[in-house]
Amino acid sequence: MADSKVVIAPFENTPLETIAAVSSTARTTFSSHKTKDLQWRLVQLRKLYWALEDFKPAMVAALDQDLHKGGFEAVFTEVDWVKNDCMFMINNLERFAKTEKLKSPDVPATYSLMNFRIKKEPLGAVLIIGPYNFPIQLLLAPLVGAIGAGCTAVIKPSELTPACAMVIKEVIETRLDRDAFSVVNGGIPETNALMNEKWDKVFFTGSAQVGSIIAKKAAETLTPVCLELGGKNPAFVTKKANLELAARRLMWGKTLNAGQVCMSHNYVMVDKDVVDTFIDFLKAAYKEMFPNGAKASKDLSRIVNARHFHRIKKMLDETKGKIVMGGETDEAELFIEPTAVLVDSLDDSMMQEESFGPVFSIFPVSTLDQALELAPQVHRTPLALMAFGDKAETDRILNSMTSGGACVNDAYFHGAVHTVPFGGVGDSGWGAYRGKASFDTFTHFRTVSETPGWMDRFLRVRYMPYDWSEYKLLKRLTEAKPNFDRNGTVAKGSAYWLWFFLGLGTKGGGLKGALKRWLVVAAGYYLHLYVKQKRA
């Protein structure tokens, strides 16, 4: 529950005339090189961890004010999520940041004395723009990666969650290094002003429509971007699926944060022979989650604002399908009941737009073939897909469909673990973050070599006048020989059959694999001798 004693400052836009200076400070601080110090980064991460703990009541109150988000979801999916991110980065940062020495097979033996290595360098001053649906998690989780990588950052919270934006501003500006990290609050004018500045990377989470604007603007200055967008995500339920489990788990996917989750399913393609049973299980799951009705639940969030309420309601008003579960709406409370609509056309309003709310459509299909033919017509590269069926069916779905992430027998659980990479593909996103990927996305992997002066006598081949005989010698030392002909067929010469014998019939696992197989043979042989001796 939110603490009624918490006072949150009224929302204030950052003055436009100050934004250039904010950006300049971030660049100047990075140029001082202090953020490259590993201990400095660790101190900032530790401070952020304790700030999240100390400001937890304020954040819970802000989430309640902005999204009517219950205390459980506020702590579990927002505040504690980022605290766990901090701890993971703190515990693994030295390993992530350690320079990696390059050896064979990356570097041929000929060049092994040149100390090839990959140095992990921070990209620089970065801009992080967050969304409204998880206004703390999806803004501060990327910040954890930026701090760990050694970047400075300016973060821009969503203006649609003003209470959260003001709490985050206080957290960052009172607890972290103010020369390195700052917050800009506001809407479109402030975002435009930020995008007019030069950044070393822009990290944006939001809609594909806005993401394309961000990418276009960033391209003008050749600024790299990480875009975490969304999509019309499909779920597939075959007649071999555990229908009760599928219904319960998909219901969870559309009730968490009132379905305002970029990974939640937009529609479910269900085998027509089990549609009625699946709907019955959906209703049972609804009753289990909301015994007194969804509106009375203290756990169900509300839609963020009236504009998004009307957008979702319009989908329901214009559908030609049949509402088979839910359907109640209340604009005064920005409440939309978890709702399922049975449709029969891809042109239905429920199939044409990403709902980003607690509503979804059920589309009956005759076969899995039909489902896999239709789904790419709805969205070829969705952010997520969910597959329910037997192993052969779910494997086929994964092989046939492209998506940013995928989950078998659950609703987007692949994105519910904070330490594994998360990101889209195609128009559902560019790049990934979370766990080590958060460090990587703000890092430049810089290849470095170091050539000793005494080696110059061995590098004569590169100097003019060129000598073909020296080049032929270099080729003999470094060039790999093909074991295949011009048709791509592996040539099974004497070397192949020698290895086939030494490797006990296969090259799988290389030398280690061959040694393991010989050890198994040896163990079997000695076991045979032992048994023979016992019998004797």
Side-chain angles (χ1 to χ4, degrees):
M1 295 292 292
D3 188 342
S4 59
K5 297 178 182 178
V6 172
V7 177
I8 299 172
F11 184 77
E12 291 183 358
N13 290 43
T14 300
L16 287 171
E17 64 273 13
T18 68
I19 290 177
V22 170
S23 173
S24 177
T25 299
R27 291 193 298 272
T28 300
T29 301
F30 181 74
S31 297
S32 73
H33 303 301
K34 76 174 181 179
T35 65
K36 290 187 176 182
D37 181 75
L38 214 59
Q39 291 306 312
W40 181 90
R41 301 182 213 177
L42 288 168
V43 167
Q44 299 303 308
L45 289 167
R46 293 167 189 149
K47 286 184 174 182
L48 180 58
Y49 174 92
W50 283 113
L52 288 161
E53 180 63 26
D54 296 342
F55 280 86
K56 185 181 289 186
M59 289 181 172
V60 171
L63 288 163
D64 180 49
Q65 184 174 316
D66 288 336
L67 288 160
H68 192 67
K69 187 172 287 193
F72 185 91
E73 282 191 13
V75 172
F76 182 52
T77 69
E78 301 256 23
V79 185
D80 281 0
W81 179 289
V82 184
K83 285 176 61 184
N84 288 333
D85 270 352
C86 288
M87 289 305 302
F88 183 79
M89 189 63 68
I90 289 166
N91 291 334
N92 292 279
L93 183 57
E94 290 187 8
R95 176 170 61 90
F96 294 163
K98 186 178 181 180
T99 296
E100 295 178 18
K101 186 172 178 60
L102 291 174
K103 301 178 182 178
S104 179
D106 302 298
V107 177
T110 311
Y111 307 121
S112 61
L113 297 177
M114 294 182 179
N115 194 18
F116 274 84
R117 56 199 184 271
I118 294 178
K119 203 166 182 296
K120 319 293 179 55
E121 297 280 353
L123 286 175
V126 303
L127 172 64
I128 301 172
I129 303 173
Y132 69 80
N133 57 325
F134 290 92
I136 292 171
Q137 180 206 135
L138 298 184
L139 185 71
L140 297 187
L143 178 64
V144 169
I147 296 172
C151 296
T152 59
V154 174
I155 64 175
K156 162 64 177 64
S158 173
E159 71 277 15
L160 301 185
T161 47
C164 290
M166 293 306 292
V167 173
I168 288 170
K169 183 176 178 66
E170 185 178 1
V171 167
I172 301 302
E173 295 185 350
T174 62
R175 296 300 183 89
L176 300 187
D177 187 324
R178 293 195 63 171
D179 291 332
F181 309 107
S182 55
V183 176
V184 168
N185 274 329
I188 294 175
E190 290 75 18
T191 303
N192 287 339
L194 285 166
M195 289 302 300
N196 285 331
E197 298 297 320
K198 174 57 182 171
W199 304 98
D200 295 298
K201 189 158 194 176
V202 175
F203 190 108
F204 170 80
T205 304
S207 69
Q209 179 184 4
V210 178
S212 65
I213 297 171
I214 296 291
K216 183 178 179 180
K217 184 66 177 176
E220 294 177 4
T221 53
L222 294 178
T223 300
V225 296
C226 181
L227 303 176
E228 298 299 338
L229 309 176
K232 289 177 278 189
N233 305 315
F236 300 86
V237 178
T238 76
K239 65 175 66 177
K240 294 181 180 179
N242 182 328
L243 299 178
E244 182 179 11
L245 193 69
R248 184 188 307 119
R249 290 177 174 179
L250 289 173
M251 179 66 76
W252 165 74
K254 272 299 180 184
T255 53
L256 181 76
N257 201 33
Q260 295 168 113
V261 182
C262 56
M263 297 178 289
S264 68
H265 55 283
N266 222 60
Y267 62 99
V268 188
M269 289 195 161
V270 185
D271 190 293
K272 63 181 179 60
D273 291 341
V274 296
V275 166
D276 291 340
T277 306
F278 177 70
I279 292 171
D280 288 341
F281 280 128
L282 277 177
K283 292 176 180 177
Y286 177 101
K287 187 65 177 175
E288 183 181 344
M289 291 182 180
F290 308 112
N292 299 314
K295 196 172 184 180
S297 172
K298 69 180 187 307
D299 296 320
L300 185 67
S301 299
R302 297 298 187 259
I303 307 305
V304 68
N305 59 23
R307 178 170 68 86
H308 283 284
F309 173 89
H310 287 294
R311 177 186 59 78
I312 299 169
K313 187 173 184 299
K314 185 170 182 285
M315 294 173 67
L316 292 173
D317 291 342
E318 294 181 354
T319 182
K320 294 180 173 61
K322 176 184 177 182
I323 293 177
V324 294
M325 183 191 74
E328 181 186 354
T329 64
D330 185 343
E331 183 177 358
E333 290 192 18
L334 298 178
F335 166 76
I336 294 181
E337 186 179 16
T339 301
V341 182
L342 187 64
V343 302
D344 60 6
S345 171
L346 298 186
D347 295 326
D348 194 275
S349 61
M350 291 295 298
M351 300 288 289
Q352 287 295 303
E353 185 180 347
E354 180 184 0
S355 67
F356 210 69
V359 304
F360 63 98
S361 51
I362 298 172
F363 195 105
V365 291
S366 299
T367 63
L368 184 55
D369 283 337
Q370 183 188 13
L372 293 172
E373 179 185 346
L374 293 175
Q377 298 177 40
V378 179
H379 192 171
R380 190 179 66 86
T381 57
L383 180 62
L385 72 80
M386 289 127 272
F388 296 84
D390 66 19
K391 187 177 187 309
E393 291 170 331
T394 57
D395 283 349
R396 188 170 169 219
I397 292 167
L398 293 177
N399 289 332
S400 300
M401 285 288 297
T402 298
S403 66
C407 191
V408 175
N409 292 331
D410 209 340
Y412 61 77
F413 202 76
H414 66 280
V417 177
H418 73 99
T419 52
V420 299
F422 168 80
V425 61
D427 60 1
S428 64
W430 302 349
Y433 75 116
R434 295 187 180 172
K436 184 178 183 294
S438 288
F439 175 89
D440 292 349
T441 199
F442 292 106
T443 297
H444 170 56
F445 291 78
R446 185 184 190 185
T447 298
V448 178
S449 68
E450 189 174 344
T451 309
W454 59 264
M455 285 193 69
D456 218 44
R457 72 188 71 176
F458 301 104
L459 301 174
R460 169 66 189 85
V461 65
R462 69 185 185 181
Y463 296 121
M464 295 182 186
Y466 296 132
D467 186 327
W468 279 105
S469 64
E470 292 182 345
Y471 178 62
K472 289 177 182 177
L473 175 62
L474 179 67
K475 283 187 66 174
R476 283 200 298 270
L477 293 173
T478 62
E479 188 175 66
K481 302 296 184 183
N483 66 337
F484 48 87
D485 62 22
R486 284 175 171 78
N487 294 319
T489 304
V490 173
K492 297 179 179 179
S494 57
Y496 173 88
W497 291 111
L498 178 62
W499 176 256
F500 188 87
F501 171 74
L502 294 175
L504 292 181
T506 176
K507 294 184 72 172
L511 181 60
K512 287 184 178 179
L515 289 172
K516 287 179 181 178
R517 288 188 289 275
W518 275 106
L519 286 172
V520 171
V521 171
Y525 175 71
Y526 283 111
L527 180 61
H528 168 72
L529 291 180
Y530 175 78
V531 172
K532 187 176 180 180
Q533 184 180 26
K534 282 288 187 181
R535 287 177 177 173

